């Protein structure tokens, strides 16, 4: 990426650069991601000046090909979309659901009740994103915003081992930011720009995105304030994912929704703010030992369901009953038949009845 330092921008002298840096805005990308209103709020600069500044930064980055131009042809958008990377989930079933994997330049929201595997899914992606492109990863690192204190390096180690990767190297490429309250969670994201570039971050995880907001803003009176702040957080997440060509994954809990009489009476918390910003929404559900994942909302995937499991290797494909049977048969070979060899059996119609 080319030079995006603040002082490369015409009109930014040492004083302005200092003011911005003190407020946590370290480069042009930060300017664009945060936007003029916020830059004005945090630096005390006039709105007129911050608007000019942000526009200049956007133009500079667009000229350098880092961001797309304001008016672009459909073919340019197409080209930008060609740069979208995908991270394999390490399973066939979930990759099918995601049509290849978790996309960059998008926010994927995973919601479901406790223990349905949201955190395990995030841990698995932390390892998968580090695989090479040929192997379904993006060869990049992770920024893991942990607001529930559920990040477990031991799980990363076991998932890495199961994938034949060096666990130490895999751990070294994950930056964990423990968020203590919702403002802190927002702050981490606001300051993430530098680390995303320096550490070649390709996956941002917010586990969970909503939990802290929910516990801090209790009661109806504070609902709109909560939504506003949550809205800010989620939009920031999307803008960063777009600007840096990273994948963003946010988890969300569910609440019972008494107004649903048929079907599953659970809805993601956070309401519409999160729903409308996420590009993809996946619902995880427990079903005995298995898990079900359903694509709930996507601009181009069909609404589909798949079954998956959780194991040493993170999220895993469910054991195929046929494969299980075959394995059992192999371990316990049947007496030889006097029919022709295996090769001629291919395509023989089922003679079972
Ligand atoms: P909340 O954060 O509480 O909302 O839940 P969650 O959706 O994040 O659940 P999480 O991903 O933590 O999933 C927990 C499930 O994963 C439990 O059912 C555990 O039994 C299972 N699990 C966690 N680690 C392992 C493991 O190493 N092996 C196996 N087989 N299962 C595991
Ligand atoms: Mg969890």
């Amino acid at each position: 990426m080319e030079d995006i330092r603040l002082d490369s921008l015409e009109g930014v002298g040492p004083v302005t650069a200092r003011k911005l840096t003190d407020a946590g805005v370290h480069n042009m990308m930060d300017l664009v991601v945060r936007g003029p209103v916020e830059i004005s709020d945090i630096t005390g600069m006039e709105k007129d000046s911050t608007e000019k500044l942000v526009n200049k930064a956007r133009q500079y980055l667009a000229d350098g090909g880092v961001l797309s131009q304001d008016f672009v042809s459909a073919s340019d958008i197409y080209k930008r979309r060609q740069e979208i990377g995908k991270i394999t989930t390490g399973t066939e079933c979930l990759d099918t659901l995601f049509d290849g994997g978790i996309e960059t330049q998008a926010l994927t929201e995973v919601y479901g009740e406790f223990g349905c595997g949201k955190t395990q899914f995030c841990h698995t992606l932390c390892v998968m994103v580090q695989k090479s492109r040929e192997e379904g990863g993006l060869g990049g690192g992770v920024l893991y915003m942990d607001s529930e204190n559920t990040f477990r390096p031991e799980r990363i180690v076991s998932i890495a081992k199961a994938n034949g990767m060096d666990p130490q190297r895999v751990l070294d490429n994950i930056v964990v930011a423990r968020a203590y309250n919702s403002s802190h969670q927002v702050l981490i994201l606001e300051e993430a720009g530098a680390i995303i570039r320096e550490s070649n971050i390709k996956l941002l995880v917010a586990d969970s995105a909503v939990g802290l907001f929910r516990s801090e803003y209790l009661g109806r009176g504070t609902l709109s304030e909560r939504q506003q702040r949550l809205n800010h957080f989620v939009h920031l997440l999307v803008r960063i994912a777009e600007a840096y060509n990273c994948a963003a994954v946010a988890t969300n809990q569910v609440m019972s929704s008494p107004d649903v009489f048929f079907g599953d009476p659970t809805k993601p918390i956070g309401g519409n703010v999160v729903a409308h910003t996420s590009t993809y929404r996946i619902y995880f559900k427990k079903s005995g030992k298995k898990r079900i994942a359903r694509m709930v909302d996507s601009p181009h995937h069909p609404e589909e369901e798949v079954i998956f499991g959780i194991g040493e290797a993170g999220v895993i494909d469910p054991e195929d009953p046929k494969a299980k049977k075959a394995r059992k048969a192999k371990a316990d070979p049947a007496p030889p038949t006097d029919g022709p060899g295996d090769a001629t059996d291919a395509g023989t119609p089922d003679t079972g009845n």
Side-chain angles (χ1 to χ4, degrees):
M1 203 176 280
E2 66 182 69
D3 185 16
I4 60 169
R5 281 177 25 206
L6 288 171
D7 53 13
S8 310
L9 202 59
E10 186 210 326
V12 176
V15 177
T16 309
R18 177 74 191 276
K19 224 185 249 175
L20 290 165
T21 320
D22 286 350
V25 177
H26 300 285
N27 56 53
M28 290 188 219
M29 198 69 112
D30 288 346
L31 277 176
V32 176
V33 167
R34 307 283 289 273
V37 177
E38 214 186 306
I39 300 284
S40 163
D41 283 350
I42 57 178
T43 59
M45 289 165 71
E46 292 294 330
K47 259 281 282 311
D48 283 355
S49 326
T50 58
E51 247 163 38
K52 279 187 199 139
L53 205 58
V54 170
N55 277 337
K56 265 191 206 163
R58 203 186 46 228
Q59 193 55 53
Y60 185 96
L61 294 173
D63 290 345
V66 178
L67 288 182
S68 51
Q69 298 280 356
D70 291 344
F71 296 97
V72 289
S73 63
S75 74
D76 281 341
I77 297 180
Y78 183 63
K79 210 165 115 198
R80 175 90 178 137
R81 287 195 55 84
Q82 304 274 283
E83 288 166 16
I84 290 177
K86 288 191 177 177
I87 306 168
T88 176
T89 61
T91 64
E92 245 173 67
C93 56
L94 290 167
D95 278 359
T96 307
L97 189 71
F98 287 105
D99 191 20
I102 308 297
E103 279 185 9
T104 63
Q105 300 178 31
L107 170 62
T108 301
E109 178 190 347
V110 180
Y111 70 95
E113 62 173 326
F114 69 93
C116 66
K118 303 181 293 290
T119 299
Q120 296 304 315
F121 177 68
C122 294
H123 279 63
T124 312
L125 289 176
C126 286
V127 177
M128 295 303 155
V129 68
Q130 301 192 35
K131 288 192 166 193
S132 67
R133 285 181 191 260
E134 295 73 45
E135 290 177 311
L138 296 173
V142 184
L143 174 61
Y144 198 108
M145 285 170 280
D146 180 15
S147 60
E148 307 198 312
N149 201 13
T150 50
F151 177 80
R152 293 289 174 274
E154 307 83 277
R155 287 296 290 138
I156 298 292
V157 169
S158 71
I159 299 169
K161 280 186 180 161
N163 280 279
M165 295 161 82
D166 175 4
Q168 191 56 52
R169 276 186 61 183
V170 171
L171 286 173
D172 286 344
N173 284 325
I174 304 173
V175 179
V176 182
R178 170 92 173 90
Y180 293 98
N181 55 56
S182 64
S183 316
H184 184 212
Q185 188 177 326
V186 174
L187 187 72
I188 290 168
L189 200 53
E190 284 171 349
E191 307 236 303
I195 207 155
I196 292 175
R197 254 190 330 280
E198 281 160 21
S199 312
N200 183 31
I201 300 290
K202 283 289 159 202
L203 171 67
L204 303 166
V205 176
D207 184 25
S208 95
V210 183
L212 291 172
F213 291 91
R214 174 158 84 159
S215 56
E216 286 166 34
Y217 296 92
L218 288 170
R220 287 263 146 200
T222 54
L223 197 60
S224 73
E225 195 185 344
R226 181 186 90 181
Q227 286 311 88
Q228 214 173 9
R229 286 174 179 258
L230 185 57
N231 191 15
H232 170 64
F233 176 77
V234 176
H235 276 93
L236 199 58
L237 202 52
V238 175
R239 272 180 282 157
I240 290 178
E242 286 174 353
Y244 293 99
N245 196 14
C246 306
V249 175
T251 68
N252 195 353
Q253 292 131 334
V254 288
M255 61 177 177
S256 283
S257 157
D259 53 338
V260 175
F261 292 106
F262 299 104
D264 200 337
T266 46
K267 275 186 174 171
I269 62 166
N272 288 335
V273 170
V274 177
H276 291 164
T277 321
S278 312
T279 327
Y280 303 112
R281 311 185 75 209
I282 318 296
Y283 178 40
F284 278 6
K285 199 175 149 184
K286 286 193 265 192
S287 166
K289 274 194 165 177
K290 289 185 199 135
R291 300 290 190 275
I292 297 169
R294 188 197 312 153
M295 178 67 75
V296 177
D297 213 349
S298 155
H300 55 252
H301 297 79
E303 187 162 329
E304 232 189 314
E305 271 186 11
V306 298
I307 294 173
F308 68 100
I310 300 174
E312 277 296 293
V315 292
I316 52 173
D317 279 307
E319 179 137 56
D320 179 359
K322 273 191 214 149
K324 206 171 171 181
K325 229 174 165 179
R327 209 155 32 88
K328 225 174 148 194
K330 218 173 175 183
D332 179 21
T337 57
D338 48 9
D342 276 345
T344 51
D345 275 342
T348 313
D350 188 1
T351 52
N353 44 18

